[in-house]
Amino acid sequence: MPSTVRLLTPETADPRTPVVVAARRTPIGTAGRALAGLDVVALATPVLRALVDDVGPVAQRPDTVDEVILGNCMGPGGDPARVAALAAGLGLAVPGLTVDRQCGSGLEAVNVGALRVLCGDRLVLAGGVESASTAPTRLALAPDGARVAYDRARFSPDEIGDPGMGEAADDLARERAISRLRQDEYAVRSHALAVANADAGRYRAELVPVGGVDRDERPRAGLDVATLGRFRPAFTPDGTATAGNSCGISDGCAAVALLDEATRRDLGLPGLAIRAVASAGVHPRLPGLGPVPAVQSVLSAAGLGWADVGAVELTEAFAAQVLACTDAWGLDPLGADGDRVCAQGGAIALGHPWGASGALLMVRLFSRMVREQGPRFGVAACAVGGGQGVALLVERVG
């Protein structure tokens, strides 16, 4: 059964309600390329500073931020959230917490931040950061006692099944009869939307340039299904997940500022009130289905259905995973629901900086719903290695 916290229903106005009032991110760089010289602190610090500037005087005095919470998967340890808070000049008294729920870490950080505000904090900065380029090189102990190059963390015990995420995406595509063609069509859509939105300047207000980089590196113009059809299976010999319809390994940071509703109202800031958060477990062999019960849980907690939700953001780790979830919800991102699901492009085009990707969904929702005065209700959700899902439901206010 999903673990769900209903913060407040849409009909309830309460001064404690956590509200996202600012959302910022770095450009997303392909690992080893544009942002390769920046570690997690160098990526996170300017984003935190930008959020403080966005919130205004209430946040600009030292020690007025109650907490900094950042998701991170592969970084150096040592609590990067605290180091980045200090580097950003937020004050010696501002604590930092680094959380790891793998690909859902950035969204989990926002969920934890929302609960902190509900419990009495006034201002929390929450999000995620990843630098695949500067992640430490690690060694693991082999069965014979030798030290070998570390591959990845274990997601599940062997007796249950511990597939890599690419292998699991291929299994999911077979399980749910998701064709290679649909996956490639979805990938073409992701790139086309990302390029169009960048060219139209829709990312400009959310971006914090770093290292001389002011534009996402990965999106490609002019991709078509014929081009992607030439890509070979990337993970299993007869699989349908390829480098073309899967995300890229990336560097970047994204974060949001959370205020309580009373302070938001006093400042006159528009935002996204967080109405419910949830986490759920599914079988580790099909982790891509994790968002399905998590999202259903937040909708049920708020008394809403899909007819109420105008914006849906999913981490596009693999096209097969996104399509499996939308199929389960009865949504068609390649057709009638194209203006709802990842309508400004997602991780297949932009990239997937693991610990930051969940927070990137919140930046997308903020841009679509607040900056552009879009739908009233929105959902963000991530699938997580090991068979988990994380979800969050927001309502536009102000």
Side-chain angles (χ1 to χ4, degrees), residues 197-241:
N197 279 275
D199 290 347
R202 291 193 179 95
Y203 296 154
R204 194 171 298 128
E206 69 196 38
L207 283 171
V208 180
V210 292
V213 180
D214 61 2
R215 188 179 177 94
D216 299 308
E217 185 177 16
R218 180 175 164 84
R220 295 291 180 264
L223 281 181
D224 56 31
V225 170
T227 299
L228 292 188
R230 294 196 288 269
F231 282 65
R232 295 182 177 181
F235 305 103
T236 60
D238 60 345
T240 51

Side-chain angles (χ1 to χ4, degrees), residues 103 106-107 128-130 254 315 347 351-362 382:
C103 295
L107 192 59
V129 61
E130 202 72 62
T315 300
H352 184 9
W354 303 302
S357 290
L360 283 166
L361 305 181
M362 296 304 300
C382 304

Side-chain angles (χ1 to χ4, degrees), residues 31-328:
R33 296 180 63 181
L35 301 179
L38 303 177
D39 65 11
V40 291
V41 173
L43 290 169
T45 298
V47 173
L48 298 180
R49 287 175 177 155
L51 290 173
V52 167
D53 290 341
D54 288 348
V55 174
V58 71
Q60 291 171 356
R61 297 184 299 274
D63 303 333
T64 57
V65 176
D66 291 299
E67 182 78 83
V68 173
I69 307 172
L70 294 177
N72 180 253
C73 298
M74 295 294 291
D79 196 357
R82 168 64 171 171
V83 181
L86 291 170
L90 302 184
L92 298 178
V94 177
L97 170 67
T98 302
V99 300
D100 180 358
R101 201 192 281 269
Q102 290 298 290
C103 295
S105 298
L107 192 59
E108 187 63 40
V110 177
N111 290 355
V112 173
L115 298 176
R116 291 292 299 261
V117 171
L118 189 68
C119 291
D121 281 355
R122 185 187 189 195
L123 173 60
V124 173
L125 306 183
V129 61
E130 202 72 62
S131 173
S133 296
T134 67
T137 300
R138 299 172 180 174
L139 296 177
L141 189 65
D144 63 1
R147 290 285 182 178
V148 297
Y150 177 82
D151 181 19
R152 67 166 175 86
R154 175 171 293 280
F155 296 141
S156 174
D158 284 338
E159 58 268 26
I160 296 175
D162 185 31
M165 295 300 284
E167 178 188 350
D170 281 337
D171 289 343
L172 182 57
R174 281 188 287 267
E175 171 83 14
R176 296 302 170 101
I178 299 169
S179 70
R180 167 71 182 270
L181 177 60
R182 284 184 72 202
Q183 294 173 59
D184 287 349
E185 288 175 339
Y186 187 89
V188 167
R189 170 186 182 267
S190 184
H191 280 274
L193 289 171
V195 169
N197 279 275
D199 290 347
R202 291 193 179 95
Y203 296 154
R204 194 171 298 128
E206 69 196 38
L207 283 171
V208 180
V210 292
V213 180
D214 61 2
R215 188 179 177 94
D216 299 308
E217 185 177 16
R218 180 175 164 84
R220 295 291 180 264
L223 281 181
D224 56 31
V225 170
T227 299
L228 292 188
R230 294 196 288 269
F231 282 65
R232 295 182 177 181
F235 305 103
T236 60
D238 60 345
T240 51
T242 71
N245 60 37
S246 305
C247 65
I249 299 173
S250 307
D251 305 326
C253 177
V256 303
L258 289 154
L259 284 175
D260 63 272
E261 168 61 15
T263 304
R264 181 208 69 82
R265 192 167 53 241
D266 288 346
L267 294 173
L269 296 173
L272 298 176
I274 298 178
R275 297 303 187 191
V277 303
S279 56
V282 296
H283 200 289
R285 291 209 62 85
L286 297 174
L289 292 176
V292 175
V295 170
Q296 291 295 162
S297 183
V298 295
L299 292 178
S300 297
L304 300 177
W306 280 114
D308 302 301
V309 178
V312 183
E313 291 291 337
L314 290 165
T315 300
E316 293 178 350
F318 304 93
Q321 173 255 312
V322 176
L323 292 168
C325 290
T326 54
D327 285 354

Side-chain angles (χ1 to χ4, degrees), residues 327-363:
D327 285 354
W329 294 322
L331 303 178
D332 180 11
L334 293 171
D337 299 296
D339 61 347
R340 283 208 279 181
V341 179
C342 299
Q344 294 183 344
I348 289 174
L350 296 169
H352 184 9
W354 303 302
S357 290
L360 283 166
L361 305 181
M362 296 304 300
V363 176

